[in-house]
Amino acid sequence: MMMNSTPDAAKLNWMTTRLDAALGWARKFSIFQYPFVTACCGMEYMATAASHYDMDRFGAGFPRFSPRQADVLFVVGTISHKIAPMLRRVYDQMADPKWVVAFGVCTCTGGFYDNYATVQGIDAIIPVDVYIPGCPPRPENVLDGLMKLQEKIAAGKSAADPSAGRPAEFQVPHRPEAHL
Amino acid sequence: MSDAPTLTAVLQARFPQHVLGTHAYRGQETVVLKREGWLKVARFLRDDPAMAFDFLMDLACVDYLKFGRSQSSAPTLTTPSPLPYFMTPKPQAERWERVVSDDEFRFEVVCHLYSSLRNRRLRVKVPLTAADPSMPSLTGLWKSADWFEREAWDMFGVTFTGHPNLRRILMYESFQGHPLRKDYPIRKRQPLIGPVN
């Protein structure tokens, strides 16, 4: 039942909002993701992206294989020291605003690969917004992480932001040559 | 099985100066060879019609530094073991023995050969010293030796003379040392970018 004091919204042709709120709302449902898939977590990522769990419900159903067209970097699988510079380069080539999801325990911490070859968590190389643990994480877990990322996007927050407060030992210098 | 002489017996009779020893376990034959005779024996194994080992299935390396020494005080099966079954050391009688001493020959290159014609397999081991861990390359005989030998070089630092392209295959070029050697520091990290974590 409509209250008499409030205007009938259906008859109005205009609305008001904050610009950042509108942008955040638009962005969180148009996630163009770059899947950086290196290992077995990729299978679980595919399961989540496919029709049964349907990542497209969250507007994240359109993987882009060019970092220049991507908003969110999905790092899926173990990152070795050998491939770390390439991951950093892909991240550097993405345009702002950008977000990073660490998918699986290997990307979060190195997992059980505590050895000479493996990066002990990709946050040593690039800033990470959402950590999804699991070996591999179940699709529900991934979708939960995706929704947390959406909240972060809607709020206009990003770990790439210099004001996000990254610890000094994990500051990674800007590399303009990576954009060439 | 036929009563034909075993592979190891044939090799023992034909190359007595190169064969250090042989053993077999459930029909899986192993021959331990001197490095100097390896290429000659390998050519015989590949080209002789009775052998016809046309496929080098695998080539790997073992580092015997400290081998077996940490287990000397470990409990045996005679006392109830606190360890799970797969970590419990086997009784001494079942312990397999090396032909050469671990102190003198630190490394051992292990090759697995297969004959698709005869449907037979043979394991060949070549002990190498710590001072000179090198042996002739098999790339001239079996093409598949190429990446195996690069891996053995990368992980253990065994050089293969005559290899056309003996570069690291798994680690990056700037990596120092050989990570699967038993004296490589277990906590040593050499990241290309980012902090040493």
Side-chain angles (χ1 to χ4, degrees), chain A residues 6 44 55 77 89 97 128 135 149 164 170:
Chain A
T6 54
E44 209 64 15
M55 240 187 209
R89 184 170 180 144
V128 177
C135 186
L149 178 70
F170 288 139

Side-chain angles (χ1 to χ4, degrees), chain A residues 44-45 47-49 52-55 57-58 103 132-133 136-148:
Chain A
E44 209 64 15
Y45 170 79
T48 313
H52 195 87
Y53 288 96
D54 194 14
M55 240 187 209
R57 289 181 289 163
F58 306 94
F103 185 116
I132 304 173
R138 277 202 56 82
E140 295 88 339
N141 207 355
V142 179
L143 296 180
D144 183 50
L146 192 64
M147 287 191 285
K148 284 189 165 58

Side-chain angles (χ1 to χ4, degrees), chain B residues 110 157 170 185 192:
Chain B
V110 186
L170 296 171
L192 287 172

Side-chain angles (χ1 to χ4, degrees), chain A residues 6 21 26 44 53 58 61 64 73 94 96 109 118 124 131 133 143 156 165 173 177:
Chain A
T6 54
E44 209 64 15
Y53 288 96
F58 306 94
R64 307 304 300 152
L73 179 61
M94 288 170 66
D96 282 319
T109 68
T118 309
Y131 298 85
L143 296 180
E177 71 275 11

